[in-house]
Amino acid sequence: MTFVVIEGIDGSGKSTVISLLSRLLPRVYVTREPSSSPIGRLIKEWALREGTADPRVDALLFAADRIEHYKREIEPRLREGYIVICERYVESSIAYQGAAGVPIEYIKFINSAVPKPDITVILDVDPEVAIARVKQRGAAEKYEQLSFLKRVRGIYLSRAAEEGYPVLDASRPAEEVAKEVARLIEKRLGSRESTS
Ligand SMILES: Nc1ncnc2c1ncn2[C@@H]1O[C@H](COP(=O)(O)OP(=O)(O)O)[C@@H](O)[C@H]1O
Ligand SMILES: Cc1cn([C@H]2C[C@H](O)[C@@H](COP(=O)(O)OP(=O)(O)O)O2)c(=O)[nH]c1=O
């Protein structure tokens, strides 16, 4: 039961790396935020598409979705002994809603009902590279603008320095990045076994 979170700007390769990881590690349960709950759908179909009146509304919706997601999906899978790999979690709210102007202390407070992951990994890539990657995916989503993603990346990197999160160079081939994440998880699992 290890809770792993993969973070990074849109187009950093999170989904790609996570799908490779599930082949490199045993007993993996993959999930993501915004989640598939009704709150997650509200975020995807309304907040991210049409836009909210204030970025605090986004922060509150993401936090509400996260509490539901943790209680209903993540916690039960951890109890069953899975390595839960979640694409985005509290650090996404700190980075994106923080970049949109919401005070970080406020974001931390509304997210204080969920526990910290065992491992948070930041996939780091130049926003210009990331935008070029996501352009192939079709129309740009709400946050997929260069100047905004530069601010988001800045917050991720300062949070990583503060919290000691590993930052991986995600401009490399996805297979290489996935192997490095797998090594970090295995190291963590190994150190836990040797202390228990
Ligand atoms: N390491 C990589 N090198 C080149 N292209 C990549 C890499 N990782 C992902 N991609 C491509 O970039 C796009 C965005 O990747 P994705 O995994 O969906 O990113 P995210 O989940 O972080 O938004 C996809 O078209 C994917 O195939
Ligand atoms: C979880 C979370 C996501 N987001 C944003 C990041 C993404 O732009 C968007 C999620 O859309 P999604 O299409 O899942 O992202 P991706 O492009 O990474 O595959 O929501 C926040 O702003 N705050 C959050 O707390």
Side-chain angles (χ1 to χ4, degrees), residues 9-16 87 133-134 136-137 170 172-174:
I9 60 173
D10 299 57
S12 55
K14 298 179 297 300
S15 308
T16 308
E87 178 176 342
R133 286 180 184 173
V134 295
Q136 299 168 348
R137 220 159 48 179
R172 296 170 295 159

Side-chain angles (χ1 to χ4, degrees), residues 32-37 39-41 43-44 48 62 65 69 87-88:
R32 62 181 312 178
E33 294 186 356
S35 79
S36 56
S37 77
I39 310 172
R41 279 204 302 281
I43 293 172
K44 284 183 270 195
L48 289 175
F62 283 115
D65 180 45
H69 185 214
E87 178 176 342
R88 300 190 177 283

Side-chain angles (χ1 to χ4, degrees), residues 69-140:
H69 185 214
Y70 185 82
K71 300 271 170 182
R72 273 188 208 273
E73 195 174 341
I74 297 174
E75 191 174 41
R77 296 294 94 75
L78 289 170
R79 280 187 201 286
E80 286 162 16
Y82 284 94
I83 298 174
V84 175
I85 302 183
C86 186
E87 178 176 342
R88 300 190 177 283
Y89 193 63
V90 180
E91 292 298 338
S92 278
S93 286
I94 293 179
Y96 283 74
Q97 279 61 62
V102 181
I104 290 191
E105 288 314 313
Y106 177 83
I107 302 169
K108 285 185 181 167
F109 177 70
I110 60 176
N111 281 281
S112 57
V114 291
K116 291 195 172 182
D118 298 301
I119 309 175
T120 298
V121 177
I122 314 282
L123 302 191
D124 183 51
V125 73
D126 187 319
E128 304 205 11
V129 172
I131 293 264
R133 286 180 184 173
V134 295
K135 268 202 180 133
Q136 299 168 348
R137 220 159 48 179

